[in-house]
Amino acid sequence: MDLKQRLADYFRANADYFNVEIQLLQYRVQVIGLDSLVDLPQSIAMLQTQTTNMVDDSLSPDSLLKIIGQLVDPDLGAIVPDIIKGNLIVLEPLSGTCCAVLPISKVVTRSIGPAETENTLYGSSSSFLEDLNTNIGILRKHCTSANLKVETYKVGKSNPKAVLLIYVEDQVKPALIDNLRKKIEAGLDKDIQHLQQLEKILGSNPWTLVARFNATELPQNAAHSLQQGKVVLMIDRLPFAVIIPSLIWDMFCMKDDHNFPLPFMYLIRLLRILGALIATIIPGLYVALVSVNPEVLRLQLALSIAHSRQDVPYPAMVETLLLLVVLELILEASIRLPKSIGPTVTMVGGIILGQAAVAAKLVSNLLIIVLAGTTIASSTVVGFQNSVPIRVFKYLLIILSAIYGVLGLLAGIVLICAYMGNQSSMGVPYLSMPSLTQKDEPNG
């Protein structure tokens, strides 16, 4: 069975498969590909234009196909991946020679637009797309260093994808790059469809509570991280960049901050740090002061809190956890609902639920204020993936505060600090400064 028939049998269930015959010089060749990925009329016109302008029209099939594309073995295992990738296969049936040609592709990706999950005030609003070549071009516009290096890996067997390893050679530490190369090369046979599979390839603990890498849609953030000595990974069909390693200061610092005057930049970052502390500590502090250590409060404040909780039938920990779960549901709903109705539904639902809970004496007025402020404060940190650990840590502090009071709250803070101090991302400690990832640390 010839190659043409074997390809037809292989793609017989694919309606977008085509195999047409055209004339190139004195040879009649088969042009094979997928109509959903290839603009066939323009691609054929491109091939005929290339061959029409050739001075020497007595070329052998091998020489002709080598000029218009890259020669490939006439075997299904070598040709099928090229077809699926969107390349055009040109086959000369008499000699059995074939080549892969980069065709005029159909546009199957969206145009460059603003980021959907990250907002910027003074920085660039363009975002990454699903197409790797477009993403590299956008990133090179933001990082114009001559030492920018882009390494390509083909990862996966059943669903192979391209993975790009990007770094600035004179900024990054060689040990970090070598470690990443070894991890990726050891996992080339594993598929990557989402970030949990990437974690397995990189050898990260899947049960860690802190982010081992940051995902960003903004090219300016990725370029800023490259200049800090970090590494950027891009995966085909994922419209964001993965920044490695992730440090605690990534929660409070972003590239857009440098467009503010220096005092304002530090005040904004201080506000984010304060927001993270409020979101983590205040719910546990409320439970500790209300249920275990009310003597710490001033008499008037203690009486006011006791009056607001007079008819509440639940302990402070139960009412706090109950309302926190409701707030988590509202946050999740705001992400999943359509943008046209999401904000309205969550705002009205939050107001109605909060008012009804207070009117029914299920929670106190003060708790509504505390948890509303906590929810807002947890969103002040940079990156949604960095706000999730804060939302998790506060539950630990609430439980310890309900049992041991203020002493349990302090013990929980120590445990959280010790846990974060024990974490690392690709060998870089989580609590280290960004300059420690660079090859040459700045003085001072």
Side-chain angles (χ1 to χ4, degrees):
M1 186 183 297
D2 61 359
L3 180 60
K4 174 184 173 181
Q5 187 59 44
R6 282 184 291 161
L7 284 172
D9 291 341
Y10 187 90
F11 287 101
R12 64 180 178 273
N14 295 273
D16 56 345
Y17 173 77
F18 65 82
N19 186 334
V20 297
E21 187 176 275
I22 64 172
Q23 184 81 25
L24 294 181
L25 295 182
Q26 70 271 29
Y27 302 105
R28 300 188 69 83
V29 297
Q30 304 289 330
V31 178
I32 304 168
L34 297 177
D35 189 55
S36 57
L37 300 176
V38 176
D39 191 328
L40 182 58
Q42 292 194 37
S43 298
I44 292 177
M46 176 193 69
L47 292 174
Q48 291 176 336
T49 301
Q50 281 182 304
T51 55
T52 301
N53 295 331
M54 290 182 180
V55 177
D56 186 3
D57 59 356
S58 61
L59 295 171
S60 65
D62 287 2
S63 301
L64 174 62
L65 297 185
K66 191 173 182 180
I67 291 174
I68 64 175
Q70 181 179 4
L71 294 179
V72 293
D73 294 331
D75 181 71
L76 282 181
I79 293 177
V80 168
D82 273 313
I83 295 177
I84 294 176
K85 197 160 50 175
N87 290 337
L88 202 63
I89 299 298
V90 179
L91 169 65
E92 204 284 310
L94 296 179
S95 64
T97 309
C98 60
C99 72
V101 179
L102 190 64
I104 305 296
S105 302
K106 285 189 175 179
V107 178
V108 292
T109 58
R110 56 192 170 93
S111 58
I112 298 175
E116 297 289 336
T117 60
E118 296 176 87
N119 294 322
T120 177
L121 190 59
Y122 288 126
S124 171
S125 60
S126 60
S127 65
F128 288 122
L129 303 178
E130 290 80 4
D131 183 64
L132 282 182
N133 291 329
T134 305
N135 289 342
I136 297 173
I138 298 174
L139 185 59
R140 285 191 181 276
K141 290 289 186 180
H142 287 80
C143 183
T144 57
S145 172
N147 294 308
L148 181 66
K149 306 298 180 183
V150 180
E151 299 180 7
T152 305
Y153 297 89
K154 186 178 179 181
V155 180
K157 283 188 175 180
S158 59
N159 293 290
K161 285 191 174 183
V163 176
L164 302 183
L165 178 64
I166 308 172
Y167 58 93
V168 178
E169 192 173 25
D170 61 342
Q171 295 291 334
V172 69
K173 281 189 173 182
L176 177 60
I177 288 296
D178 293 340
N179 193 8
L180 274 172
R181 283 198 193 107
K182 291 177 182 177
K183 298 282 187 182
I184 295 174
E185 290 171 358
L188 291 179
D189 58 336
K190 300 177 182 178
D191 292 328
I192 297 181
Q193 302 296 330
H194 45 74
L195 294 185
Q196 288 185 8
Q197 291 177 336
L198 178 62
E199 281 186 338
K200 291 182 179 179
I201 290 178
L202 298 182
S204 300
N205 180 9
W207 296 101
T208 183
L209 296 180
V210 298
R212 294 300 176 90
F213 42 73
N214 294 316
T216 180
E217 281 187 284
L218 296 174
Q220 63 173 2
N221 288 346
H224 181 60
S225 298
L226 289 173
Q227 294 299 328
Q228 288 183 319
K230 297 183 180 181
V231 179
V232 169
L233 287 178
M234 287 187 181
I235 304 170
D236 193 19
R237 312 319 299 170
L238 293 185
F240 51 80
V242 177
I243 300 173
I244 300 175
S246 174
L247 307 179
I248 189 172
W249 292 107
D250 296 333
M251 301 172 62
F252 313 117
C253 306
M254 61 184 302
K255 173 65 175 177
D256 197 22
D257 298 341
H258 295 276
N259 293 320
F260 294 95
L262 191 63
F264 296 157
M265 182 187 77
Y266 285 117
L267 286 174
I268 290 172
R269 291 179 176 179
L270 180 63
L271 190 63
R272 292 179 187 141
I273 296 174
L274 184 62
L277 294 176
I278 290 174
T280 308
I281 296 174
I282 293 301
L285 183 62
Y286 169 83
V287 173
L289 296 180
V290 168
S291 60
V292 181
N293 300 111
E295 67 277 2
V296 177
L297 301 171
R298 293 185 59 185
L299 180 60
Q300 294 86 345
L301 181 58
L303 292 175
S304 176
I305 294 174
H307 179 71
S308 67
R309 299 193 68 255
Q310 184 174 1
D311 297 323
V312 176
Y314 305 114
M317 184 185 75
V318 175
E319 67 166 339
T320 302
L321 292 177
L322 177 65
L323 197 56
L324 276 176
V325 170
V326 173
L327 288 173
E328 297 288 354
L329 292 175
I330 293 175
L331 286 175
E332 188 65 19
S334 66
I335 298 173
R336 307 301 168 200
L337 285 172
K339 292 184 179 180
S340 57
I341 63 172
T344 303
V345 170
T346 53
M347 181 181 67
V348 173
I351 293 174
I352 293 175
L353 286 175
Q355 182 64 32
V358 172
K361 301 297 183 182
L362 297 178
V363 296
S364 64
N365 290 316
L366 180 60
L367 181 62
I368 294 288
I369 299 173
V370 169
L371 295 190
T374 297
T375 304
I376 295 172
S378 65
S379 300
T380 58
V381 298
V382 178
F384 178 78
Q385 71 276 1
N386 289 322
S387 67
V388 177
I390 293 176
R391 290 159 58 184
V392 173
F393 287 146
K394 66 186 176 188
Y395 289 100
L396 172 64
L397 296 184
I398 288 172
I399 294 173
L400 291 176
S401 299
I403 300 174
Y404 301 108
V406 176
L407 182 62
L409 177 68
L410 295 176
I413 295 174
V414 172
L415 286 175
I416 292 173
C417 293
Y419 176 79
M420 291 192 297
N422 190 46
Q423 300 302 306
S424 63
S425 177
M426 300 306 297
V428 180
Y430 183 67
L431 298 183
S432 61
M433 299 294 291
S435 60
L436 294 182
T437 62
Q438 292 178 298
K439 181 185 294 186
D440 298 316
E441 299 178 18
N443 295 326

